[in-house]
Amino acid sequence: MSTPTDRLADLMRHRALTVGVAESLTCGLLASEIGKGADAADWFAGGVVAYQTAVKEHVLGVPAGIDPCSAECAAQLARGVRELLGADIAVATTGVGGPDSEDGHPPGTVFVGWADAEDSGAELLQLSGGPDDVLRTTVERAVLRLVDLAERASAGMG
């Protein structure tokens, strides 16, 4: 049975696209999942774990004072890593994994940012469950967002 990571690997290999990831919330779990894809060395440019605010600002271009648990932050993380790594498409994860609230955001408040050559944005996820559940679901949703971006890019290559 094919997984979203398998689908992503297939799209990336056949369309000669590259992917990059920026992770705060998932702290490397997303890169680990993507790295399981077939021939990942050919299409996975890499990732940046930007856990501290200073890294988000200085490495990935998040403006000072931006709420790290926001759509604006997630979209900039994706744009920043895409540019830094020269990737065709990118995603980013940020939010509150739990079990406690942070800065007024309840646990499970997650943003998956995305960027391609044409546009960028972020999706708000309101997830339930413990921290492990939140992280697992965030990684799954981020991989599915990459599949969507790759399919859109593929359609444009027709």
Side-chain angles (χ1 to χ4, degrees):
M1 175 162 243
S2 180
T3 68
T5 302
D6 295 335
R7 176 72 179 137
L8 178 64
D10 187 56
L11 285 164
M12 301 306 281
R13 288 182 318 203
H14 288 94
R15 298 299 182 165
L17 298 170
T18 57
V19 64
V21 299
E23 299 183 73
S24 180
L25 172 67
T26 51
C27 207
L29 292 173
L30 177 57
S32 179
E33 178 61 29
I34 290 170
K36 294 175 186 175
D39 300 318
D42 295 334
W43 52 266
F44 182 31
V48 173
V49 174
Y51 213 64
Q52 293 185 337
T53 300
V55 175
K56 291 177 180 79
E57 294 172 1
H58 299 298
V59 177
L60 299 174
V62 174
I66 296 297
D67 182 351
C69 182
S70 68
E72 184 177 2
C73 180
Q76 179 55 46
L77 290 171
R79 287 190 300 267
V81 81
R82 182 180 173 275
E83 181 179 329
L84 179 69
L85 300 177
D88 295 304
I89 60 175
V91 293
T93 62
T94 191
V96 180
D100 301 317
S101 296
E102 283 182 36
D103 299 323
H105 301 287
T109 303
V110 173
F111 290 89
V112 174
W114 56 270
D116 62 18
E118 306 298 320
D119 204 2
S120 64
E123 173 186 12
L124 169 62
L125 308 176
Q126 295 288 357
L127 305 175
S128 59
D132 288 342
D133 299 317
V134 169
L135 294 175
R136 182 175 49 257
T137 302
T138 300
V139 167
E140 289 170 3
R141 294 293 288 270
V143 172
L144 290 171
R145 174 60 66 176
L146 285 169
V147 168
D148 179 62
L149 290 169
E151 287 174 341
R152 285 186 3 199
S154 298
M157 300 174 85

